[in-house]
Amino acid sequence: MARAKRLCTAEEMDIVKTFECGQCFRWNVDSDGVYTGVSDGRQCKVWLESDTVYIDCEDKDEEYWRYYFDMETDYEAARRSLMISEYLSDCAEQGKGIRILRQEKWETLCSFIVSQCNNIPRIKSIVESLCENFGECRERNGEKYYTFPSALAMSTKRVEDLAVLRSGYRAAYILSAAEAVSLGTIDLEATSKKSGKEARATLRTINGVGEKVANCVVLFGFHHMDAFPVDVWIRRVLKERLPTDFKVEDLGEYAGLAQQYMFYSARSLGT
DNA sequence: CCCCAGGCGGTTG
DNA sequence: CAACCGCCTGGG
């Protein structure tokens, strides 16, 4: 690993939690605990070695990945701000080390459309198939990888072309999003700069994008840390673990991070 | 055979 | 408004 660079301490980022907490679908781990991922056409490897997280990437991509891993945000301060009750403190303790990645906007939109009514292994397999079938094949250190296909590339496809993905009724939703984005009906870059409320409303004009998916795109694709996606797990938490008068606004600017802590906690406890 | 999985859109009361 | 249902597919 000649190109290995130090990324951060193990405290600053728990790579297992960050990659496995359900925010991303293109990070895969090998038997040595090395994660390989692709974003914006670039591939890199990340692993933990004696309390330090290392990254192996192209030199020119180092800044890109530091930004992707949200290195400029102080997660310890954010985490402390969320410890406003015993339950939330427990979640924040369990979720310590989770970072909200700065993922590609179009990829995030497409991936969370695929996520609906699906489990994580299957979401990952559909997304990977999407890349292998419609993305670009590239190579790094003798290893092949596929880029996430552009909205423009997807807009030229028909529902029948997507049958190979086995994505079911979501195929039409993917094409609906691809059309809106490639035609410029929806400008993801501009939408990401609007308020969360406005951004969600814009995203919801896409057939197949409801409140949950729109919130995931705003949080994971636009990095609005106050976005709070409510899925079945969080619904259960809201009902069983939080006071009835609880308001998302009580969590402040890092509500989305709290959501990930609660989600991670609820899932790791099984049920 | 059944049910469910990190929803959405359309219909009905 | 809430409740319900069909939707593709794969896995238990």
Side-chain angles (χ1 to χ4, degrees):
Chain A
M1 295 287 189
R3 284 202 187 84
K5 304 162 178 63
R6 180 189 174 281
L7 183 62
C8 61
T9 66
E11 289 262 291
E12 289 169 307
M13 172 162 74
D14 185 312
I15 59 174
V16 177
K17 290 180 196 170
T18 297
F19 293 141
E20 311 285 352
C21 71
Q23 62 175 317
C24 53
F25 305 103
R26 292 206 72 197
W27 286 94
N28 296 300
V29 67
D30 68 15
S31 53
D32 295 324
V34 177
Y35 279 87
T36 303
V38 176
S39 180
D40 190 37
R42 314 153 202 254
Q43 183 249 42
C44 86
K45 291 174 180 290
V46 175
W47 68 97
L48 178 67
E49 199 177 310
S50 53
D51 295 332
T52 300
V53 176
Y54 288 93
I55 181 169
D56 165 31
C57 68
E58 294 299 308
D59 290 340
K60 65 173 175 55
D61 292 339
E62 191 174 347
E63 278 314 300
Y64 174 85
W65 289 112
R66 287 191 180 279
Y67 182 72
Y68 177 91
F69 287 112
D70 199 25
M71 283 301 148
E72 71 273 30
T73 299
D74 182 352
Y75 277 77
E76 263 316 286
R79 204 169 71 88
R80 278 194 300 275
S81 78
L82 295 169
M83 296 180 157
I84 55 176
S85 74
E86 196 180 335
Y87 170 68
L88 285 164
S89 297
D90 286 347
C91 291
E93 201 50 51
Q94 291 180 60
K96 185 170 158 45
I98 292 177
R99 302 183 83 87
I100 308 285
L101 304 173
R102 290 184 182 266
Q103 303 184 68
E104 288 301 292
K105 298 170 180 67
W106 159 247
E107 174 176 341
T108 306
L109 170 58
C110 222
S111 300
F112 280 93
I113 283 173
V114 169
S115 82
Q116 61 184 264
C117 216
N118 243 333
N119 52 51
I120 291 174
R122 191 150 168 259
I123 298 164
K124 290 180 75 170
S125 109
I126 291 171
V127 169
E128 211 47 49
S129 169
L130 182 67
C131 297
E132 285 173 14
N133 282 283
F134 306 111
E136 238 179 84
C137 182
R138 294 189 187 169
E139 199 172 312
R140 179 167 178 266
N141 294 339
E143 212 174 321
K144 280 192 163 73
Y145 67 93
Y146 293 87
T147 64
F148 196 91
S150 68
L152 182 59
M154 293 314 296
S155 70
T156 66
K157 309 297 174 195
R158 297 160 303 164
V159 173
E160 307 91 86
D161 299 323
L162 270 61
V164 61
L165 305 179
R166 316 297 296 158
S167 64
Y169 62 88
R170 303 162 195 84
Y173 297 164
I174 294 171
L175 297 185
S176 161
E179 185 180 57
V181 172
S182 64
L183 288 177
T185 314
I186 292 181
D187 178 341
L188 291 178
E189 194 58 46
T191 305
S192 74
K193 295 186 171 74
K194 295 192 208 166
S195 71
K197 190 179 174 183
E198 284 180 287
R200 286 203 308 274
T202 301
L203 290 167
R204 287 198 56 168
T205 63
I206 297 167
N207 185 32
V209 176
E211 193 60 24
K212 157 68 167 60
V213 171
N215 256 308
C216 285
V217 174
V218 170
L219 176 58
F220 304 126
F222 298 170
H223 207 78
H224 286 214
M225 297 269 267
D226 57 337
F228 194 84
V230 177
D231 53 43
V232 293
W233 293 90
I234 296 300
R235 193 158 316 223
R236 193 175 306 154
V237 165
L238 290 174
K239 195 175 163 191
E240 296 172 6
R241 310 302 300 266
L242 292 171
T244 48
D245 59 346
F246 167 82
K247 297 275 177 294
V248 173
E249 299 82 69
D250 298 344
L251 296 169
E253 58 178 321
Y254 294 111
L257 183 60
Q259 191 269 12
Q260 283 296 279
Y261 290 156
M262 289 186 259
F263 184 76
Y264 180 80
S265 166
R267 296 231 17 177
S268 55
L269 292 176
T271 56

